Amino acid sequence: MTTIKANTIYRSLFFMILAVYCLFTARYGFETWDTGYIPSFSWRIANGQDVYKDFVYKAPPSTLYFQAIFIKMLPEIGQFYFIKISNYLLFALQVFLAVKSFSNFYPQQIRFNKWALMILGLVISLLNFTAYPWPTTDGLLFSVIALYILSLNTKSNGWQLIGIAFFCLMACLTKQSFYLIPIGFLFTITGMQGIKKGLVFLFYLVLFFLLFFSWVAYTSSLHEFLEQTTGQTHLKDLLYSGFLDYIITYPRIYFFLPLIILSAYLLFYFPKRTVLSIPGYLKNLSVVLLVFSLSLCFFREFLFASRIAMLSTVFVIISKIAKDRKNFNYFMPIILVLLIAWSCSISMGYNYPIFFSTGIIVSMTVLFTEELNKVYNQKVFILAGSIILALAYSLNLRPYREKPISELKYSLADVSPKLKYLMTNKDNRDKLLDLKSLIKKYGNNYIVAPSFPMAHYTFNTQSLLPADWLTNNEINRDPERILKIAAKKENVVFLEKSFLEGEEYMFENRADFSVIAVYIYKNFKKIDETKHFIIFNTQEKNEAFPVIIKKSVH
């Protein structure tokens, strides 16, 4: 009866928290950079354009087509608010399936109430992410769906293997950091279910990839696909976001590092006073790192805490495998989960495994089962969990690239029907209304530089350019192509003054952010000016586009 009552309480709390995100949190905040990155592309697809042929996109395309479904299906009035709700619901589904998967893989080892784990996973993973469409969250969703299908049966049947292969493909095609996901599942299926099942899975996987490449060749070309999706990042980017950032993870880590190393040694030495072994030391180091990670949460350092928790999980699983090599298959689902979390962290902007905190939390629950049994105290854990949840959600009081929520009193309904129900600050609202008036004055042949990629989605217009976010890493290393279109006399450019004046996350050298915007400012003819924009038309100096522009974006 106690378990049933706890289940009811935690389940109700999970859906209440989800309702708060959907009905309250989703309404507040509207920034014009990342929020519109995917909608700008999906809007093109919803209007019949083909990726790579009609516009530049630096990643595989599954997120674009997946999110285009919501643009096509949801009503226009308040559409972006409903898109945000949809993404909150999909994120909650991912959390639910991740915990259910571990319940299937490790039915005896989950020490905590499953709904309580889901609550922790949901709130900590989201932090103040506003649930706009994003490749990382879609890649995570598709990976976890594949994980859940795998967990349903110790001997997957043909349909299950097809389902796993399909969602592995979908995950892999969200962004390059998920390219290893199919390999991870192949490794896990072969290890847990045998070589025969592994070969069958590989066959379905290859079949799906062949179908995808055939589709690319039909709608665009393999050359365009490879040219646009490669060469944007370098090996050093993977080295930092995939490895070094976990070692130099916390700005003040060097102050704590000697204490962490010493604590891990003393934790091993004093209870037994025996010779130190590497597996034993790694396990104790993981315990110390876990405690350190939890302590950071109480200071709202969740992003750094997620990296340290990831390291803790890696060290403890290495320790356990070293002690029990014969039972390697037992740990394979956890290794797969760590691969998914690692894939989420490989990013140029948000390079933390925080999005898959659920996977890290449930992995720790399994790996530290014995230790938890010794120290578990329900009241203490509920109190600590409640504090961490409150601190994690409190980050939403200052949405990403926005003013504090107390200042978000201005509706965007007058800007566009699609933005109805959303609230922002006065300056942001006025800037968007300014843009709306400029479009009314100059017509639909407009370009917004360098940011606000979802302008055409917002105002139901069609982009003139093959790219809408005119930053250096979004234009396929070809600024001249875009400038030639922008310079046509029938087109106008609305250049954001905030780009020139400086705003949050803007590079000190503006050309490092957008050589196109800098070139327009210096070389195009100024024809008008408002509070938020300078309006340009044609190339005033009538010069050839300088070679230095191409060098700047490489």
Side-chain angles (χ1 to χ4, degrees), residues 218-242:
Y218 176 75
T219 58
S220 177
S221 73
L222 291 175
H223 170 74
E224 289 285 352
F225 170 74
L226 293 173
E227 181 184 25
Q228 294 181 31
T229 59
T230 59
Q232 297 288 349
T233 56
H234 304 89
L235 186 61
K236 68 176 182 179
D237 300 313
L238 173 62
L239 180 64
Y240 273 93
S241 63

Side-chain angles (χ1 to χ4, degrees), residues 240-261:
Y240 273 93
S241 63
F243 299 98
L244 293 182
D245 283 341
Y246 285 90
I247 300 172
I248 54 175
T249 183
Y250 187 56
R252 292 175 285 277
I253 189 68
Y254 300 109
F255 173 78
F256 293 100
L257 194 58
L259 183 61
I260 290 171
I261 294 171

